[in-house]
């Protein structure tokens, strides 16, 4: 069965420090991976995706993610965190078993950036 | 920019009532989705539709039905609301496109409380 795991419920980081939000996945076939962010009282927004190509994917708001096939991971990173990055982050993977229409979301990781 | 709108931000209903949640997207997307979001559980897919009048069950369809009579509109129906359906409901849409699968665009969500 295909799945995605976010092992940390919460990540705390000081403003200006680098941040990492972890994600691991399990899929059959080639993975299509996504990161979404949910700011307070708002819907989810797409951040970035990996389909194929370079293992380092750059996205919105200075975020990037590194695809690691051997470790089946797709960690979200940012070199210097901002207080405004505080939000709920979801990793997601395309469910290849349903014609590609479905997406499986992780449980989410809440990021707190302290000034 | 893609815009996905949902008919209500907050809704309070009584047990046994029939509830309609409406979602409209303005970018001619083929695919539309309904999720519910609960703390610690991430997003769970209720139903999705890949074309007008087409619908597929997601992971938790029990107690829900959907309707897609026009491409831009996807409705979620709670036939007889129950307290365990109190949740945040998110609508999303996506384009099939040449890659066969693209990121989803989300509405702001409807927080439904069933008393």
């Amino acid at each position: 069965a295909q799945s995605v795991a976010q092992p940390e419920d919460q990540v705390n980081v000081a403003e200006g420090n680098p941040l990492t939000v972890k994600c691991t996945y399990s899929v059959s076939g080639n993975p299509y991976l996504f990161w979404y962010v949910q700011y307070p009282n708002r819907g989810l927004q797409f951040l970035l995706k990996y389909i194929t190509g370079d293992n380092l994917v750059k996205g919105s708001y200075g975020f990037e993610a590194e695809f690691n096939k051997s470790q089946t991971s797709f960690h979200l990173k940012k070199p210097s965190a901002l207080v405004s990055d505080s939000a709920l982050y979801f990793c997601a993977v395309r469910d290849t078993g349903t014609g590609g229409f479905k997406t499986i979301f992780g449980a989410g990781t809440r990021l707190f950036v302290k000034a | 920019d893609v815009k996905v709108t949902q008919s209500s931000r907050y809704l309070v209903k009584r047990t046994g009532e029939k509830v309609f949640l409406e979602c409209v997207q303005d970018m001619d997307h083929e695919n539309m989705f309904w999720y519910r979001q609960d703390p610690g559980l991430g997003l769970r897919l209720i139903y999705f539709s890949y074309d007008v009048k087409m619908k597929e069950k997601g992971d938790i369809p029990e107690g829900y039905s959907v309707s897609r009579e026009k491409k831009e509109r996807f409705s979620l129906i709670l036939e007889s609301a129950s307290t365990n359906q109190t949740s945040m409901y998110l609508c999303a849409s996506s384009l099939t496109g040449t890659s066969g699968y693209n990121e989803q665009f989300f509405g702001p969500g409807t927080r439904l409380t069933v008393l």
Side-chain angles (χ1 to χ4, degrees), chain A residues 32 34 36 38 41-46 49 51 88 90 94 98-103 105-108, chain B residues 9-10 31 33 35 37 40-43 45 48 50 58-59 90 96 99 101-104 106-108:
Chain A
Y32 283 27
F34 302 81
Y36 291 84
Q38 186 176 36
N41 299 315
R42 294 171 66 177
L44 272 72
Q45 297 177 37
F46 167 73
K49 67 182 176 184
I51 304 297
L88 186 57
F90 290 94
R94 171 191 174 192
T98 57
F101 295 112
K102 286 175 61 177
T103 299
F105 286 82
Chain B
R9 291 298 303 272
Y10 300 94
N31 311 308
F33 309 82
Y35 296 90
Q37 181 182 4
L41 297 178
L43 273 69
L45 182 65
F48 67 99
Y50 54 88
D59 300 315
L90 296 173
T96 297
S99 71
Y101 193 71
N102 289 290
E103 63 272 20
Q104 295 179 24
F106 284 82

Side-chain angles (χ1 to χ4, degrees), chain B residues 32-34 45-48 56-58 61 64-66 74:
Chain B
M32 295 189 75
F33 309 82
W34 274 107
L45 182 65
I46 304 171
Y47 269 95
F48 67 99
E56 294 285 342
K57 293 180 180 179
Y64 303 94
S65 62
V66 290
F74 192 37

Side-chain angles (χ1 to χ4, degrees), chain B residues 85-105:
Chain B
Q85 292 179 308
T86 292
S87 186
M88 171 70 87
Y89 290 87
L90 296 173
C91 176
S93 70
S94 72
L95 192 65
T96 297
T98 55
S99 71
Y101 193 71
N102 289 290
E103 63 272 20
Q104 295 179 24
F105 294 84

Side-chain angles (χ1 to χ4, degrees), chain A:
Chain A
Q2 288 157 124
S3 64
V4 60
Q6 295 180 243
E8 301 154 318
D9 291 336
Q10 184 171 311
V11 170
N12 299 306
V13 66
E15 189 174 34
N17 284 0
L19 70 87
T20 299
V21 183
K22 295 180 180 177
C23 173
T24 58
Y25 65 90
S26 173
V27 297
S28 55
N30 294 322
Y32 283 27
L33 297 158
F34 302 81
W35 276 101
Y36 291 84
V37 59
Q38 186 176 36
Y39 297 104
N41 299 315
R42 294 171 66 177
L44 272 72
Q45 297 177 37
F46 167 73
L47 269 182
L48 51 80
K49 67 182 176 184
Y50 172 83
I51 304 297
T52 187
D54 288 341
N55 290 342
L56 188 64
V57 179
K58 294 190 183 296
S60 307
Y61 312 122
F63 283 93
E64 57 191 25
E66 187 170 10
F67 171 67
N68 188 316
K69 188 172 184 178
S70 62
Q71 296 185 4
T72 62
S73 67
F74 189 56
H75 300 333
L76 182 69
K77 300 183 180 186
K78 188 173 182 181
S80 179
L82 300 172
V83 172
S84 57
D85 293 329
S86 298
L88 186 57
Y89 291 82
F90 290 94
C91 182
V93 64
R94 171 191 174 192
D95 184 355
T96 57
T98 57
F101 295 112
K102 286 175 61 177
T103 299
I104 300 169
F105 286 82
T109 298
R110 191 164 294 281
L111 173 67
F112 288 99
V113 181
K114 191 173 181 181

